[in-house]
C-alpha cells in the first residue's frame, strides 16, 4: 500500500503451502497508520504579525511476524488461525507554516520531531472464518462474494481484542458492468482498547472513505485555535469504525473491444459512493443515539494494472461532509475493494 508520502508506504509478504488439506505459512508485514491534528492562529514574529498554521502528524508503525494455519471446508470457505509477535512503534512530527496576513504569501515553514511513546511488544492470536467465491479481474473483483469474520487477541504491553466483520458482494447484471458493495466493521474492545499509545482507527484512507485523506486537511477547516478540538478531522478517528461502499465499475477500453474483456490495456473506470463512521466507548455513533455521524463522499475512480506489478488508482472525489472542500484528486496503489 502507498500514498503520496513515502513514509506512509507499507508492505506485507506471505508464504502459504497448500500441498495438503491443512495449509500453513508465514506472514511478515510493515504497515504504517497515520492520523493527525491541526491548528491555526495569529502570532508576532520579529515584530511582524503573521498567521501560523500547524499540522501534527502521528504515525503508528506495525511490524509483525506470524505463522498461519488454514483448514478449507471447500474451495471457497476455510477456517484460519494465526499466532505471532508484533512491535508497534511510533513517529510524530509537527509541520509549521507561516503566512502573511496581508498577501497570504508563505513566509516560512519548518518540520520538527515531537516526543513519542516507547514501542509496544505484543503477542497475538487470531481466529477467522473466511469465504471467497469472487473472481478477480485485472484490477478488481468482477463477480462473486467474500466475507471475513475475525477475532484477534493482543497480550503483552497492552491487552485488548479486535473484532472484524467484512462482507463484499459483486454482481454483473449486464456484461461488462459490475456492481460492487461492501459493509465493514472493525473495533478494539477490552481493558486497553483505547490506550492513548494506540493510534486511533482512521476512516479517511483511500481504501475506506475517499476524499478525507489526512493530506487534504489544513487548519482552515477547523474553525478553532485548539488542536484538540478540530471536529472536522476528529470525527474520522475512533476505536471502532464502520464503512459502507458501493461502485459501478467497467473496463474502459473493453467497451470498444469485441475480442477482449479489457481491450488493449487493463483500465477500469468506476463511479462510487463511500460512507464511514468512527466512534469510541464514550462518543457513541448516531445509530446508537450518540453525536458521531456518518461522513460521505462520491466520485469517479480510474484503475490501471501496471504490468502485473501493482494497481494504480486515481480518484476524482467530492467529500460531501466537508464545508470547505470541493472536488479533490487522490492517488494510491490499491486494487478495488
Amino acid at each position: 500500500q502507498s500514498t503520496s508520502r513515502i513514509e506512509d508506504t507499507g508492505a506485507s509478504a506471505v508464504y502459504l503451502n497448500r500441498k495438503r488439506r491443512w495449509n500453513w505459512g508465514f506472514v511478515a508485514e510493515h504497515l504504517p497508520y497515520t492520523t493527525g491534528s491541526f491548528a491555526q492562529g495569529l502570532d508576532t514574529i520579529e515584530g511582524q504579525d503573521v498567521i501560523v498554521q500547524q499540522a501534527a502528524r502521528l504515525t503508528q508503525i506495525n511490524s509483525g511476524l506470524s505463522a498461519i494455519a488454514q483448514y478449507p471446508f471447500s474451495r471457497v470457505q476455510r477456517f484460519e488461525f494465526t499466532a505471532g509477535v508484533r512491535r508497534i512503534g511510533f513517529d510524530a512530527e509537527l509541520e509549521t507554516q507561516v503566512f502573511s496576513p496581508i498577501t497570504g504569501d508563505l513566509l516560512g515553514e519548518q518540520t520538527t520531531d515531537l516526543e513519542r511513546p516507547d514501542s509496544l511488544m505484543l503477542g497475538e492470536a487470531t481466529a477467522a472464518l473466511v469465504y471467497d467465491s469472487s473472481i478477480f479481474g485485472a484490477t478488481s473483483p468482477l463477480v462473486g462474494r467474500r466475507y471475513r469474520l475475525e477475532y484477534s487477541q493482543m497480550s503483552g504491553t497492552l491487552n485488548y481484542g479486535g473484532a472484524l466483520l467484512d462482507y463484499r458482494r459483486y454482481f454483473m447484471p449486464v456484461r461488462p458492468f459490475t456492481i460492487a458493495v461492501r459493509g465493514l466493521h472493525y473495533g478494539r474492545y477490552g481493558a486497553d482498547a483505547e490506550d492513548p499509545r494506540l493510534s486511533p482507527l482512521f476512516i479517511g484512507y483511500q481504501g475506506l472513505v475517499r476524499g478525507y485523506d489526512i493530506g487534504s486537511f489544513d487548519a482552515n477547516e477547523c474553525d478553532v485555535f485548539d488542536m484538540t478540538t478540530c471536529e472536522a478531522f476528529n470525527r474520522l478517528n475512533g476505536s471502532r469504525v464502520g464503512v459502507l461502499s458501493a461502485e459501478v465499475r467497467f473496463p474502459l477500453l473493453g467497451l470498444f473491444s469485441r475480442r477482449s474483456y479489457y481491450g488493449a490495456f487493463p483500465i477500469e473506470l468506476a463511479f462510487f459512493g463511500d460512507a464511514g463512521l468512527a466512534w469510541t466507548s464514550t462518543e457513541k455513533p448516531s445509530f446508537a443515539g450518540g453525536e458521531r455521524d456518518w461522513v460521505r463522499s462520491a466520485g469517479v475512480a480510474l484503475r490501471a494494472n501496471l504490468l502485473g506489478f501493482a494497481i494504480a488508482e486515481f480518484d476524482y472525489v467530492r467529500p460531501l461532509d466537508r464545508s470547505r472542500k470541493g472536488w479533490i484528486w487522490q492517488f494510491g496503489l490499491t486494487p478495488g475493494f
Side-chain angles (χ1 to χ4, degrees):
Q1 67 181 31
S2 181
T3 70
S4 57
R5 299 180 73 249
I6 191 65
E7 296 90 341
D8 293 336
T9 300
S12 62
V14 181
Y15 170 80
L16 191 62
N17 187 307
R18 300 192 299 173
K19 290 184 176 181
R20 296 179 174 83
R21 186 69 176 262
W22 274 100
N23 304 327
W24 59 272
F26 302 94
V27 178
E29 59 186 8
H30 176 81
L31 300 173
Y33 299 95
T34 301
T35 184
S37 55
F38 306 88
Q40 177 176 269
L42 294 173
D43 199 357
T44 301
I45 299 178
E46 297 181 354
Q48 180 182 0
D49 291 335
V50 295
I51 297 174
V52 179
Q53 290 187 357
Q54 291 185 315
R57 190 182 301 271
L58 312 173
T59 304
Q60 175 182 303
I61 306 166
N62 287 259
S63 301
L65 181 64
S66 302
I68 304 173
Q70 298 176 346
Y71 186 83
F73 302 113
S74 66
R75 291 180 180 272
V76 298
Q77 191 173 46
R78 69 180 184 271
F79 205 78
E80 186 175 295
F81 303 92
T82 305
V85 293
R86 182 173 302 276
R87 178 185 181 274
I88 300 179
F90 302 92
D91 191 20
E93 63 181 26
L94 180 67
E95 181 182 276
T96 302
Q97 294 180 312
V98 180
F99 298 89
S100 167
I102 300 174
T103 65
D105 292 340
L106 177 65
L107 303 179
E109 57 184 329
Q110 181 181 19
T111 300
T112 56
D113 292 332
L114 298 176
E115 185 178 354
R116 65 203 69 176
D118 295 333
S119 299
L120 308 178
M121 293 300 298
L122 302 171
E124 60 182 359
T126 300
L129 178 65
V130 184
Y131 181 96
D132 190 349
S133 64
S134 63
I135 297 176
F136 211 102
T139 54
S140 305
L142 302 176
V143 293
R145 180 165 58 116
R146 307 164 73 186
Y147 66 73
R148 185 179 186 92
L149 310 177
E150 177 184 292
Y151 179 79
S152 57
Q153 181 64 45
M154 305 289 185
S155 299
T157 310
L158 300 176
N159 294 278
Y160 64 91
L164 172 67
L165 307 174
D166 187 348
Y167 181 85
R168 311 177 188 199
R169 187 70 186 268
Y170 312 99
F171 309 88
M172 188 177 287
V174 179
R175 181 184 172 91
F177 295 90
T178 291
I179 299 174
V181 295
R182 171 182 63 179
L184 179 149
H185 166 68
Y186 178 74
R188 297 182 186 136
Y189 300 89
D192 297 319
E194 295 177 352
D195 188 282
R197 288 172 289 181
L198 291 175
S199 293
L201 303 175
F202 178 59
I203 59 175
Y205 292 112
Q206 187 180 27
L208 296 176
V209 183
R210 286 160 281 200
Y212 294 85
D213 179 78
I214 184 174
S216 67
F217 279 86
D218 58 46
N220 288 325
E221 290 191 67
C222 298
D223 292 324
V224 294
F225 300 97
D226 183 355
M227 295 184 70
T228 65
T229 58
C230 182
E231 179 57 27
F233 185 81
N234 290 346
R235 62 182 176 176
L236 305 175
N237 298 275
S239 59
R240 299 153 194 181
V241 299
V243 174
L244 299 173
S245 302
E247 280 191 358
V248 178
R249 56 179 68 143
F250 56 92
L252 183 60
L253 301 181
L255 293 179
F256 310 101
S257 175
R258 296 182 178 180
R259 297 182 178 181
S260 171
Y261 182 81
Y262 285 101
F265 191 78
I267 299 177
E268 178 179 81
L269 191 67
F271 297 95
F272 66 82
D274 296 331
L277 179 63
W279 69 95
T280 68
S281 61
T282 56
E283 297 179 272
K284 302 295 184 182
S286 56
F287 62 78
E291 296 184 355
R292 283 291 185 97
D293 209 351
W294 295 87
V295 295
R296 303 157 299 156
S297 64
V300 59
L302 182 71
R303 300 188 186 98
N305 187 304
L306 305 180
L307 303 177
F309 291 100
I311 297 172
E313 178 175 325
F314 299 87
D315 298 322
Y316 190 50
V317 53
R318 176 68 163 88
L320 302 177
D321 296 288
R322 295 178 65 177
S323 59
R324 298 190 180 183
K325 279 291 182 180
W327 290 86
I328 60 176
W329 289 95
Q330 281 189 281
F331 168 76
L333 297 176
T334 178
F337 66 80

